[in-house]
């Protein structure tokens, strides 16, 4: 068994804290990174977190969150400059987020429903 796995098993709460901090920092970095072929309606990326029923927290930086006619739309954009389709990892990421986002049952913005 590897050292990392042993450390996780010994102190799972510490692992969660380290993992969440890394996830949050990655989300914050992505929210300020603009890629060459991205087009954003207002020029800014969103940043938010999702909590699941088990207490897990996911920090995410979708390309945009649009508010249109009393509904929120979480937009993820994938592009490819050299091929007909995005890379497999981009497709997998998009499918994961599609499943994740489609299971949201409530949303709060600044602690307001």
């Amino acid at each position: 068994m590897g050292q990392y796995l042993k450390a996780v098993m010994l102190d799972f709460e510490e692992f969660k804290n380290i993992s969440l901090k890394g996830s949050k920092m990655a989300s914050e970095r992505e929210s300020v990174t603009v890629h060459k072929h991205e087009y954003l309606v207002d020029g800014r990326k969103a940043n938010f977190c999702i909590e699941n029923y088990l207490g897990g927290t996911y920090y995410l930086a979708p390309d945009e969150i649009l508010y249109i006619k009393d509904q929120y739309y979480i937009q993820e954009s994938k592009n490819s400059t050299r091929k007909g389709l995005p890379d497999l990892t981009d497709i997998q990421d998009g499918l994961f987020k599609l499943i994740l986002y489609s299971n949201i049952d409530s949303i709060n913005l600044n602690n307001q429903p």
Side-chain angles (χ1 to χ4, degrees):
M1 188 180 308
Q3 289 292 91
Y4 182 73
L5 184 55
K6 283 181 187 176
V8 168
M9 291 174 68
L10 286 174
D11 193 348
F12 185 68
E13 285 303 313
E14 180 63 17
F15 165 75
K16 274 184 19 181
N17 291 336
I18 291 169
S19 174
L20 285 174
K21 183 178 178 184
S23 172
K24 187 174 185 180
M25 289 171 55
S27 170
E28 290 170 355
R29 278 193 310 273
E30 178 60 26
S31 70
V32 295
T33 301
V34 178
H35 301 283
K36 182 179 178 180
H37 297 285
E38 277 183 334
Y39 169 76
L40 305 174
V41 172
D42 66 0
R44 299 179 304 155
K45 288 188 183 180
N47 194 310
F48 71 106
C49 71
I50 293 177
E51 295 177 9
N52 68 17
Y53 68 97
L54 298 172
T57 304
Y58 303 87
Y59 290 94
L60 300 160
D63 292 314
E64 294 186 276
I65 298 179
L66 306 170
Y67 183 71
I68 303 169
K69 296 183 181 178
D70 297 329
Q71 290 192 351
Y72 288 95
Y73 296 87
I74 302 170
Q75 180 174 299
E76 286 287 343
S77 301
K78 304 296 179 192
N79 62 57
S80 175
T81 56
R82 295 186 189 101
K83 298 182 251 176
L85 292 172
D87 289 331
L88 180 59
T89 55
D90 282 337
I91 293 169
Q92 290 169 332
D93 179 67
L95 290 172
F96 167 75
K97 289 176 179 171
L98 178 66
I99 293 166
L100 188 65
Y101 297 162
S102 67
N103 285 291
I104 294 174
D105 64 5
S106 65
I107 188 168
N108 292 309
L109 178 61
N110 299 325
N111 295 320
Q112 299 294 315

